[in-house]
């Protein structure tokens, strides 16, 4: 299938591209590099072993979307493109509403105009807020607690309304829990700009010496060891779920919403210990006060994804830490440490080559 991957230069999108390409799909990556590096494209080419078709585009700019859709028709779109930092969203909510919601509206309008009827969407467990019980099922109450989470919930509702209005339009709404880890090659991985908000990249940067120590947000939660419990999911398992969702949409005449997690909760200190073991590095930490907006524990009931997609997480916490560490130790400063000429050398195919390929 010909697939447009919006936000495909980002952390999860780039990993999904390796699996989608591996299944024989022809991909066009579109990204504005708001939170990623062009160097990802060269790394992707090395992993995939073929040119990576790329077109710079901003979903907020209709002309960019028109340019994306003016070539041969896509069979499906995978939509990763969003701003995703909770704290940042509290500081600049209008930017998040504009980027995530308006950008999605523009994308859906371009898809509708081009007659593209299959969408895989990146949603988040954040739509559950602080769930009444765990493990969390898809029919749990939806209640967001921050502007970013509200954009995810609104995007789910927008897509749901479009599916209602056009029975021929089908979407796979994937609610990710906590994606972590990296491609086993160590060539691509999570590279947050600035100080990492999330636990795994912060721990990884402590291990490689970029950060002095980890602050553990709360040691008095009602959990196994007093620290926060989450459902960490290997990004390669998550990537595979996107390829399975594409297969589902090609095979079934319906939409779906599924949780993507392991179904197992892991505490902060359990993750720290696993990372210290995988990296052979000490991870100094201090337990401090709780972070605003945090909850004690969230982990998925992933049984619906297994039933509908035939998907389940296969990689454990040790693999998550091992692969995250390989990426971090090979790229101590993330993509910023890659040789500048690496980006220039990238055989990133251009639009006309994509048109030629897509025209068959
Ligand atoms: P990321 O920031 O690494 O990737 C997002 C990509 O989208 C980036 O390359 C960015 O440049 C691009 N982008 C953003 N706005 C754009 C726009 N207007 N036009 C074009 N490109 C744009 O984030 P990620 O961790 O890979 O997350 C991907 C998706 O998964 C996001 O939608 C996010 O909300 C969702 N998600 C992420 C997590 C997580 O913990 N990483 C959890 C749940 C859901
Ligand atoms: C995990 C645990 C923290 C950092 C967030 C977003 C969510 C989604 C995934 C986009 C918690 C603790 C963390 C640190 C710590 N993103 N922690 N010290 O908060 O579960 O989810 O990322 O969709 O929307 O909310 O992930 O990695 O930030 O925190 O102690 O420096 O680690 O308290 O218990 P979270 P996280």
């Amino acid at each position: 299938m010909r697939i447009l991957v919006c936000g495909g230069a980002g952390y999860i999108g780039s990993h999904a591209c390796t699996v989608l390409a591996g299944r024989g799909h022809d991909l066009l990556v579109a990204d504005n590099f708001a939170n990623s590096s062009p160097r990802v494209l060269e790394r992707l080419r090395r992993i995939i072993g073929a040119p990576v078709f790329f077109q710079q585009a901003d979903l907020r700019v209709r002309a960019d979307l028109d340019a994306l859709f003016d070539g041969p028709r896509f069979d499906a779109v995978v939509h990763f493109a969003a701003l995703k930092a909770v704290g940042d969203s509290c500081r600049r909510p209008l930017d998040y509403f504009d980027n995530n919601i308006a950008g999605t509206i523009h994308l859906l309008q371009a898809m509708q105009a081009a007659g593209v009827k299959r969408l895989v969407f990146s949603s988040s467990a954040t739509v559950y807020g602080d769930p009444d019980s765990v493990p969390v099922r898809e029919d749990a109450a939806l209640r967001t607690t921050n502007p970013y989470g509200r954009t995810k919930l609104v995007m789910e509702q927008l897509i749901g309304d479009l599916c209602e209005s056009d029975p021929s339009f089908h979407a796979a709404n994937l609610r990710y829990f906590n994606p972590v880890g990296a491609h086993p090659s160590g060539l691509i991985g999570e590279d947050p700009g600035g100080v990492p908000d999330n636990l795994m990249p912060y721990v990884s940067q402590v291990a490689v010496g970029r950060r002095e120590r980890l602050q553990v947000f709360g040691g008095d939660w009602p959990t196994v060891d007093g620290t926060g419990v989450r459902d960490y999911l290997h990004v390669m398992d998550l990537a595979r779920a996107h390829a399975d969702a594409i297969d589902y949409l090609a095979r079934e005449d319906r939409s779906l919403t599924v949780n993507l997690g392991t179904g197992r909760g892991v505490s902060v200190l359990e993750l720290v210990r696993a990372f210290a073991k995988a990296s052979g590095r000490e991870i100094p930490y201090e337990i401090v006060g709780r972070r605003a907006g945090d909850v004690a524990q969230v982990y998925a009931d992933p049984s619906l994804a297994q039933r509908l997609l035939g998907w389940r997480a296969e990689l454990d916490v040790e693999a998550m830490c091992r692969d995250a560490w390989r990426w971090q130790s090979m790229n101590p400063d993330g993509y910023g440490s890659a040789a500048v000429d690496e980006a220039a050398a990238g055989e990133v195919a251009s639009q006309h080559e994509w048109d030629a390929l897509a025209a068959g």
Side-chain angles (χ1 to χ4, degrees):
M1 293 170 74
R2 278 194 288 276
I3 303 174
L4 172 63
V5 185
C6 296
Y11 170 45
I12 300 171
S14 56
H15 286 78
C17 283
T18 68
V19 176
L20 290 167
R23 294 216 188 157
H25 297 299
D26 296 318
L27 311 179
L28 177 61
V29 172
D31 206 303
N32 68 351
F33 297 127
N35 193 40
S36 51
S37 163
R39 293 190 173 103
V40 172
L41 301 171
E42 160 54 20
R43 301 292 183 86
L44 273 182
R45 189 197 63 76
R46 286 165 59 185
I47 293 170
I48 295 168
V52 172
F53 294 97
F54 172 76
Q55 188 165 328
Q56 186 150 349
D58 187 325
L59 298 193
R60 294 169 297 184
V61 178
R62 289 181 190 274
D64 287 3
L65 277 161
D66 293 344
L68 277 177
F69 282 85
D70 77 357
R73 200 175 66 81
F74 297 110
D75 298 302
V77 174
V78 187
H79 179 21
F80 296 102
L83 299 176
K84 56 146 185 179
V86 170
D88 187 36
S89 79
C90 297
R91 289 186 289 274
R92 53 189 190 110
L94 292 182
D95 291 343
Y96 273 66
F97 297 149
D98 182 42
N99 191 77
N100 294 2
I101 297 173
T104 299
I105 292 170
H106 295 164
L107 175 62
L108 294 175
Q109 288 172 326
M111 288 178 69
Q112 191 174 55
V116 180
K117 302 278 191 174
R118 297 291 179 269
L119 173 70
V120 177
F121 173 63
S122 299
S123 190
S124 167
T126 202
V127 301
Y128 296 118
D130 185 359
D132 294 329
S133 62
V134 286
V136 185
R137 290 162 35 109
E138 287 80 358
D139 58 2
L142 303 181
R143 48 182 170 218
T144 57
T145 57
N146 57 73
Y148 162 71
R150 265 184 283 285
T151 70
K152 283 295 157 181
L153 185 52
V154 167
M155 288 194 269
E156 282 197 12
Q157 292 164 340
L158 276 174
I159 293 163
D161 287 343
L162 179 56
C163 292
E164 282 295 312
S165 73
D166 175 0
S168 67
F169 187 93
H170 300 307
N173 179 35
L174 307 181
R175 290 176 179 162
Y176 311 164
F177 278 64
N178 290 62
V180 295
H183 188 271
S185 67
L187 288 171
I188 58 175
E190 190 170 10
D191 183 23
V195 179
D197 293 315
N198 296 138
L199 179 65
M200 181 68 108
Y202 201 103
V203 168
S204 184
Q205 290 188 11
V206 170
V208 81
R210 279 176 65 179
R211 310 275 168 205
E212 190 181 335
R213 72 166 56 84
L214 171 72
Q215 291 191 314
V216 177
F217 298 140
D220 59 350
W221 293 101
T223 63
V224 59
D225 59 16
T227 64
V229 169
R230 296 292 186 273
D231 187 332
Y232 299 100
L233 172 69
H234 198 298
V235 69
M236 292 311 293
D237 277 332
L238 181 58
R240 187 163 42 82
H242 288 76
D244 294 342
I246 286 285
D247 292 347
Y248 176 92
L249 292 175
R251 177 180 74 239
E252 307 287 343
D253 241 1
R254 62 179 71 124
S255 297
L256 60 72
T257 292
V258 291
N259 290 335
L260 295 178
T262 64
R264 287 182 300 281
V266 173
S267 78
V268 174
L269 293 184
E270 287 168 339
L271 194 79
V272 168
R273 278 195 293 275
F275 201 94
K277 183 178 175 196
S279 63
R281 300 290 176 90
E282 280 302 304
I283 311 289
Y285 66 86
E286 60 176 326
I287 295 184
V288 298
R290 296 178 177 184
R291 178 174 65 176
D294 260 353
V295 298
Q297 53 183 359
V298 181
Y299 52 91
D301 174 344
S303 55
L304 189 60
Q306 182 170 355
R307 183 149 55 81
L308 296 182
L309 296 180
W311 173 90
R312 64 185 305 170
E314 297 171 352
L315 296 164
D316 62 12
V317 174
E318 285 64 42
M320 297 174 204
C321 293
R322 181 189 65 230
D323 293 340
W325 176 239
R326 185 179 305 107
W327 150 255
Q328 187 75 81
S329 55
M330 286 172 59
N331 304 272
D333 298 322
Y335 294 106
S337 55
V340 174
D341 60 0
E342 184 179 312
E347 294 168 29
V348 176
S350 57
Q351 175 69 35
H352 74 268
E353 286 166 299
W354 162 258
D355 291 349
L357 172 109

